[in-house]
Amino acid sequence: QDTMLLDLGYTETGYSRVAITFDNKGSFTLGGAEIWCDSMKNYAEEADSLKECVLENVEYGNRSIKGTISSDRDRFLVLSIPELNGWSAYLDGEEVELYTANTAFMGIEIPAGEHVVELRYWLPGLTPGLITSGCGLILFAGTIIIWNKKRKNNVRGTV
């Protein structure tokens, strides 16, 4: 996993240390790990402030979601779309990194200003599948044409 954001839950006093346990044995490298502890005193106000910066004018396509967002400061947009292979994110038409947020969802960094956010989905393996199917159809058609030509030549030779 390249990037991950974990919610460690609520505590009255905050954390001074955190233990991370891995399911499998092996060698792991943690670089740039950060722990943020936020006070819950102003939780209601903080939750309401999240409503100030949301994806608006949302348009849904067959394999895309597009909307606009405006922010007075740099933010991190968490989308309630499950993180799956095949998604790519674009900010103002330029591809940007798509992060895993809250262990299961997608998120992107949003700089201050007005932006167009677009998410596109392309089924993993679809391109090689289409190419393979196309080649198969061409070979099948070629086989039928060759078979018909040989059959016609055999019919002419027996008359």
Side-chain angles (χ1 to χ4, degrees), residues 1 3-4 76 83 97-101 105-109:
Q1 182 91 27
T3 306
M4 183 179 280
F76 188 80
E83 191 275 327
E97 187 168 356
L98 192 57
Y99 296 95
T100 300
F105 301 106
M106 297 187 297
I108 62 171
E109 295 178 19

Side-chain angles (χ1 to χ4, degrees), residues 19-80:
I20 299 175
T21 305
F22 295 96
D23 292 334
N24 301 316
K25 291 182 180 181
S27 177
F28 302 94
T29 302
L30 291 175
E34 298 179 29
I35 298 174
W36 300 346
C37 293
D38 288 329
S39 170
M40 297 300 287
K41 289 181 184 176
N42 300 320
Y43 177 76
E45 292 83 17
E46 292 284 330
D48 285 340
S49 75
L50 294 174
K51 297 175 188 174
E52 296 169 4
C53 185
V54 297
L55 200 59
E56 298 175 322
N57 306 313
V58 179
E59 300 171 14
Y60 300 94
N62 287 339
R63 295 183 328 264
S64 66
I65 300 169
K66 186 175 184 177
T68 58
I69 192 165
S70 180
S71 177
D72 57 347
R73 60 185 170 94
D74 294 352
R75 295 188 184 250
F76 188 80
L77 176 65
V78 176
L79 302 151
S80 58

Side-chain angles (χ1 to χ4, degrees), residues 77-153:
L77 176 65
V78 176
L79 302 151
S80 58
I81 300 171
E83 191 275 327
L84 294 170
N85 287 334
W87 282 103
S88 54
Y90 298 84
L91 188 66
D92 301 325
E94 298 291 321
E95 189 167 9
V96 294
E97 187 168 356
L98 192 57
Y99 296 95
T100 300
N102 295 337
T103 70
F105 301 106
M106 297 187 297
I108 62 171
E109 295 178 19
I110 303 289
E114 294 188 23
H115 302 284
V116 175
V117 174
E118 185 175 5
L119 296 166
R120 299 178 194 160
Y121 184 76
W122 189 255
L123 184 66
L126 182 60
T127 301
L130 290 172
I131 291 169
T132 303
S133 296
C135 290
L137 286 173
I138 291 169
L139 287 171
F140 179 71
T143 303
I144 296 297
I145 291 168
I146 291 169
W147 182 77
N148 279 334
K149 282 185 179 184
K150 284 185 177 184
R151 198 175 118 214
K152 284 180 185 178
N153 287 339

